Amino acid sequence: MKLGFFTMPIHPLGRSVTETLKEDRELAILADKLGFEEGFFGEHVTDAAETITSSLIFVASLIHATNRIKLGSGTVNLPCYHPAHVAAQVAMVDHMAEGRFLFGISPGGLMSDAELFGNLDKNRGDMFIEAIDQILAIWSGEPPYNIEGEFWSTSTERTLIEDLGQGKILSPYQKPHPPIITTVVSPHSNSMTQAARRGWEPISGNFLLPKWVKSHWPKYKEGCADIGATPDMADWRVAKSIFVADDLDTAKRYATDTSGPYHGYYRSVATKMIRSGRAALFKQDPDAPDDTVTIEGVVDDVVIWGTPDKVIDELAAFREEVGEFGTLLYAGHDWVDRDLAIRSMELMAEKVAPAF
């Protein structure tokens, strides 16, 4: 099992954006030094708590500040952009990273972003598929492209100057394109099946109950069977909120206190999910009333905390419950206490990960 990280950085409202961006960069640079294999960055445009508005720009800022770690968009929310824009920007970042870029994509889950970009009342699933199909067609094609879709059209036919290169969009560094990664956040998600059919690699979200994470791999195997492929658990990434400390009292306080970063993170995430009709993500019984979901209960259900030995035992039990997977993605959270946050990553890399 490899170790990576995934951060959808949720910071307390009122913190300096300048400082939170520095903190999120420091997380990635530290992860590289500690031997984390890969790291993903979320993006949202209309959320004051999430201060990374472009995962591609953020990845680009880290390419020459890191040495070995692979850096990924986590994710580019495709319905929010013209496919040609994404194709060109991803190709450029891929060349800058020279093989260290992972292309994470999704339909996007923040409703205020959907409203801002005019797709709140559209079928974002259909937009997502059309967008990635056009991106792949651009990368595999030649100008003037002439790609017609329901939501977007791509052509440079009227302005093409072939001998000067005008009208051509960059192709990626990795051939035929960077690995495509997609996040999955629903129980028994058909997105897992679609990912397998298309050769994409999935990430199961860190805020899912273990029973819902467990529901993902059978759906992935179903998609592999549809195309006659052999499923490889090494392709499955699972994100998890984890805090490791040198002593148990510190671990419990930092991970479970209502003023701590984990409680703050799940207060933000769970509240948004519940208000958008997705409370079932946090319920052991999907039919239970929404008001039975509490932030304390969510933290208790999904956060693993403790000394290295306790975390190793609980991660082993988690993996026993959900099944084998290839990469554990340590979820990034605000550094309420910088020293404790850094120490947790050090213990994760030096004490916990080697046990697996």
Side-chain angles (χ1 to χ4, degrees):
M1 187 176 73
K2 296 189 295 184
L3 177 64
F5 73 83
F6 188 110
T7 185
M8 184 176 72
I10 293 177
H11 298 286
L13 297 179
R15 277 201 68 188
S16 162
V17 173
T18 305
E19 293 305 314
T20 61
L21 291 173
K22 287 179 180 178
E23 182 178 295
D24 293 330
R25 290 189 80 252
E26 188 175 358
L27 178 151
I29 294 167
L30 175 63
D32 182 49
K33 291 178 179 176
L34 291 173
F36 283 60
E37 299 275 349
E38 57 191 34
F40 294 86
F41 303 92
E43 66 172 34
H44 286 122
V45 176
T46 59
D47 195 316
E50 296 185 55
T51 50
I52 295 178
T53 58
S54 167
S55 57
L56 293 178
I57 291 175
F58 204 76
V59 164
S61 81
L62 283 160
I63 290 169
H64 299 300
T66 56
N67 296 304
R68 192 181 66 86
I69 192 170
K70 292 185 178 181
L71 302 166
S73 52
T75 57
V76 176
N77 301 320
L78 294 184
C80 299
Y81 309 100
H82 194 289
H85 173 88
V86 178
Q89 299 302 319
V90 167
M92 183 188 76
V93 171
D94 195 38
H95 279 277
M96 293 172 66
E98 296 185 72
R100 288 199 292 129
F101 178 68
L102 302 168
F103 184 25
I105 60 174
S106 78
L110 188 65
M111 293 302 97
S112 53
D113 275 6
E115 180 181 4
L116 179 74
F117 289 105
N119 57 61
L120 183 62
D121 299 316
K122 296 179 181 178
N123 188 322
R124 289 185 299 281
D126 287 351
M127 295 181 76
F128 168 71
I129 294 300
E130 181 175 308
I132 189 60
D133 284 346
Q134 288 204 17
I135 290 166
L136 295 173
I138 289 168
W139 286 340
S140 64
E142 293 293 335
Y145 308 110
N146 288 325
I147 306 168
E148 292 291 334
E150 178 182 355
F151 304 102
W152 299 281
S153 298
T154 298
S155 175
T156 57
E157 186 170 33
R158 296 174 59 193
T159 53
L160 180 67
I161 307 177
E162 193 166 3
D163 59 324
L164 297 180
Q166 177 173 302
K168 180 173 176 59
I169 297 171
L170 292 176
S171 297
Y173 174 87
Q174 299 176 79
K175 303 302 180 188
H177 51 71
I180 296 178
I181 320 292
T182 188
T183 52
V184 182
V185 297
S186 299
H188 306 284
S189 177
N190 286 325
S191 296
M192 287 290 282
T193 308
Q194 295 297 329
R197 288 172 181 163
R198 299 183 68 122
W200 302 344
E201 300 172 17
I203 296 174
S204 295
N206 59 290
F207 45 79
L208 286 171
L209 299 176
K211 67 184 295 183
W212 302 138
V213 176
K214 181 180 180 179
S215 75
H216 285 171
W217 190 244
K219 300 295 290 184
Y220 192 80
K221 291 197 293 185
E222 179 184 317
C224 287
D226 290 342
I227 61 170
T230 301
D232 185 351
M233 68 87 181
D235 294 335
W236 187 21
R237 296 165 173 85
V238 175
K240 194 70 180 164
S241 292
I242 301 167
F243 177 68
V244 197
D246 290 295
D247 67 272
L248 202 59
D249 288 343
T250 298
K252 181 178 181 180
R253 173 181 57 81
Y254 195 71
T256 66
D257 192 273
T258 56
S259 63
Y262 293 81
H263 191 280
Y265 177 94
Y266 283 102
R267 182 172 61 250
S268 179
V269 169
T271 302
K272 292 168 187 172
M273 291 288 189
I274 291 168
R275 291 186 182 180
S276 63
R278 307 181 77 178
L281 295 176
F282 308 104
K283 301 177 189 177
Q284 298 289 352
D285 177 4
D287 296 325
D290 288 359
D291 60 11
T292 62
V293 178
T294 66
I295 305 307
E296 291 76 13
V298 172
V299 170
D300 187 57
D301 284 338
V302 303
V303 178
I304 289 178
W305 56 267
T307 59
D309 285 345
K310 180 176 181 290
V311 170
I312 288 168
D313 289 344
E314 293 189 15
L315 275 175
F318 172 75
R319 193 171 65 167
E320 182 70 21
E321 179 176 355
V322 305
E324 297 285 335
F325 52 88
T327 302
L328 174 68
L329 297 178
Y330 177 97
H333 296 275
D334 184 81
W335 288 4
V336 170
D337 186 312
R338 182 177 183 275
D339 291 341
L340 289 179
I342 290 175
R343 183 59 177 156
S344 177
M345 290 182 65
E346 291 173 344
L347 290 170
M348 188 70 205
E350 297 166 1
K351 301 292 186 180
V352 177
F356 293 90

